Amino acid sequence: MTTKFSVQHMDLHYGAFHALKDVNLNIRAHEITAFIGPSGCGKSTLLRSLNRMNDLVEDCRITGDIRLDGEDIYAPGTDVNMLRKRVGMVFQKPNPFPMSVYDNVAYGPRTHGVKKRAALDAIVEKSLRDAAIWDEVKDRLHRSALGLSGGQQQRLCIARALAAQPEVILMDEPTSALDPISTGRIEDLAMELKRDYTIVMVTHNMQQATRVSDSTVFFLLGEIIESGKTEAIFSRPQDKRTEAYITGRFG
């Protein structure tokens, strides 16, 4: 299995706070990698570093090496817009734009220069189908996305990410605001999408990590304590701190 992201000796500071410490990690293509660990341990911070969302945070300093397909994403001259096209993001709370379902999905392709109506129609339909929501919204494409349920809005946000034709999808606790049925739909969707995409998912839900991920990374206080195949991490953790966390003794 090929490595999609390689992180070597990465440190991240927010001002004087040392948020990530000597992170070393390979993320494999066409897998779901779950980041687990207590709140504030660095999971989302690392996730946002993979498409340079932390560039938007004042006083954030990153050292070390993060490579996507062997290319240093923090190298001078990197086209950050192109990076974010390749590495899409789905946030914790569904955040559709206050516009129609169609315009939400077409927004990215339009900003990347797709203007022809037929091309946009095809992208919108494919993205909504791939996000398993086409049948629910095909008759209301030109109505406000804000009228959808929370679970539908989150699948719309996944469709919006897919419309940019990314290679990687970052998901920051994508189901934490959703009910169990919507959560199950997003999990099923993630498992289908890994055929075509690499997925990195932050989750607080241990059962979710075991259900959907191929690999799991356990963070504690800004460090990676343990990483490996999900089945091995949950059935035979090598570190006592991992075992304590996944059995619910802390966190």
Side-chain angles (χ1 to χ4, degrees):
M1 193 73 84
T2 55
T3 295
K4 191 69 180 171
F5 266 110
S6 161
V7 183
Q8 301 291 324
H9 301 298
M10 177 206 171
D11 283 80
L12 183 146
H13 292 80
Y14 293 125
F17 177 59
H18 197 175
L20 288 172
K21 302 162 189 166
D22 195 27
V23 170
N24 293 280
L25 180 65
N26 287 328
I27 293 169
R28 287 194 285 269
H30 300 291
E31 283 195 358
I32 300 176
T33 300
F35 289 177
I36 65 169
S39 294
C41 66
K43 309 181 296 292
S44 293
T45 298
L46 180 57
L47 191 78
R48 288 196 298 268
S49 301
L50 299 177
N51 70 346
R52 291 187 52 171
M53 291 288 279
N54 284 323
D55 288 16
L56 308 172
V57 179
E58 203 177 332
D59 219 11
C60 176
R61 293 191 328 283
I62 293 176
T63 57
D65 197 61
I66 303 181
R67 291 178 183 266
L68 173 60
D69 290 336
E71 295 170 27
D72 179 0
I73 67 169
Y74 283 87
T78 298
D79 183 337
V80 177
N81 285 331
M82 184 51 68
L83 172 68
R84 292 187 188 140
K85 183 179 187 298
R86 293 177 66 192
V87 185
M89 185 112 188
V90 177
F91 295 92
Q92 185 170 356
K93 288 205 170 62
N95 60 341
F97 302 139
M99 51 180 72
S100 72
V101 169
Y102 184 99
D103 287 336
N104 262 271
V105 183
Y107 184 88
R110 280 181 177 136
T111 60
H112 292 291
V114 180
K115 297 283 184 275
K116 289 207 168 88
R117 183 68 189 210
L120 285 170
D121 286 351
I123 291 169
V124 167
E125 180 172 343
K126 182 178 190 312
S127 302
L128 290 166
R129 283 189 185 280
D130 287 351
I133 192 176
W134 170 253
D135 289 339
E136 294 162 58
V137 299
K138 65 177 189 280
D139 297 325
R140 53 181 300 173
L141 290 177
H142 300 292
R143 283 193 253 158
S144 171
L146 303 180
L148 301 175
S149 72
Q152 289 173 323
Q153 286 185 8
Q154 192 63 305
R155 279 180 286 145
L156 176 64
C157 292
I158 292 171
R160 192 174 68 199
L162 297 179
Q165 298 177 305
E167 299 159 36
V168 181
I169 305 169
L170 308 178
M171 296 184 165
D172 195 354
E173 294 190 62
T175 62
S176 66
L178 304 181
D179 63 88
I181 290 172
S182 298
T183 294
R185 285 191 176 141
I186 302 278
E187 289 178 0
D188 291 344
L189 174 56
M191 288 190 279
E192 282 177 38
L193 290 175
K194 75 176 183 183
R195 286 197 305 253
D196 299 309
Y197 308 91
T198 302
I199 298 175
V200 188
M201 181 187 289
V202 169
T203 181
H204 268 114
N205 184 327
M206 298 299 103
Q207 289 76 30
Q208 182 168 77
T210 56
R211 282 194 299 265
V212 306
S213 69
D214 302 284
S215 299
T216 295
V217 185
F218 172 53
F219 291 78
L220 191 60
L221 299 173
E223 296 183 56
I224 291 178
I225 304 301
E226 191 167 346
S227 65
K229 287 288 179 197
T230 296
E231 185 190 7
I233 293 279
F234 280 90
S235 59
R236 301 180 299 282
Q238 302 298 303
D239 191 290
K240 288 275 183 261
R241 293 166 292 181
T242 313
E243 185 178 9
Y245 183 72
I246 64 179
T247 55
R249 289 205 290 278
F250 79 90

